[in-house]
């Protein structure tokens, strides 16, 4: 008996478990739109201030 052929199939390597989180075109990841760097820096500074105060 070939025990190597029994059991569930192996999942694909280097694939996200939940592709809907990373899928283009969703509200969290819209098509072809990357946030500008200034916006990112503003969010990071706001988070740092909030962490410093709290």
């Amino acid at each position: 008996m070939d025990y190597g052929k029994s059991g569930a199939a192996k999942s694909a390597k280097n694939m996200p478990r939940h592709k809907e989180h990373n899928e283009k075109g969703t509200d969290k990841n819209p098509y072809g739109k990357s946030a500008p760097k200034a916006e990112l820096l503003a969010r990071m500074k706001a988070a740092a201030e909030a962490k410093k105060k709290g």
Side-chain angles (χ1 to χ4, degrees), residues 3 10 31 40 49 52:
Y3 291 105
K10 291 183 179 177
Y31 283 113
L40 174 69
E49 283 295 320
K52 195 184 290 185

Side-chain angles (χ1 to χ4, degrees), residues 11-45:
S11 61
K13 292 187 165 129
N14 297 327
M15 292 287 289
R17 289 187 181 168
H18 304 286
K19 74 170 190 162
E20 62 272 9
H21 298 304
N22 305 336
E23 212 164 37
K24 291 279 188 184
T26 57
D27 52 347
K28 288 194 173 188
N29 192 6
Y31 283 113
K33 183 181 178 189
S34 60
K37 192 162 188 171
E39 185 180 312
L40 174 69
L41 286 172
R43 275 188 310 180
M44 288 172 63
K45 286 178 183 176

